[in-house]
Amino acid sequence: MAPTTEQTKYAFIDAEPKYADLDTLPIKILTGEYTDVEFRFKRISISPVEDHLNVNFDVDVLKSPEGVNVDLNDQPFIDFLGEILYDIMVNREDVETQVDTREEPADLEADVHEDPHGKDHS
């Protein structure tokens, strides 16, 4: 049996019609105590803190088999999701990520009405 790597612990399940309206790819856990849990990362923030990076993320658990502990306050579960996130961000060449480097949340309403020539389109 081949050794388990991070990329064999999970799979993207974007082909499932029930998840077609999501704005981030749903992920299914394939091995371990969280097998068959389906979730998605909603928001990820990375900020420098002294000599390391602090990573925070919000998650939606989309499907959880009966008897599997997917409490978002459970540190082992959060750590497992963090390992998956790290693998996606660092090791996956087949995943395109979008980075918003603004420190403040974007005001999308203002962006829509803003014109590079100074005209107001409200």
Side-chain angles (χ1 to χ4, degrees), residues 113 119-122:
H113 298 293
K119 296 178 183 174
D120 185 8
H121 295 279
S122 336

Side-chain angles (χ1 to χ4, degrees), residues 13 18-19 22 24-28 36-42 59-65 70 77:
I13 50 174
K18 64 184 174 183
Y19 298 139
L22 296 179
T24 58
L25 283 174
I27 299 168
K28 182 174 187 173
D36 294 330
V37 170
E38 296 177 7
F39 71 98
R40 72 179 182 121
F41 291 106
K42 294 188 327 184
V59 173
D60 269 343
V61 174
L62 305 169
K63 177 184 167 196
S64 174
V70 292
F77 181 59

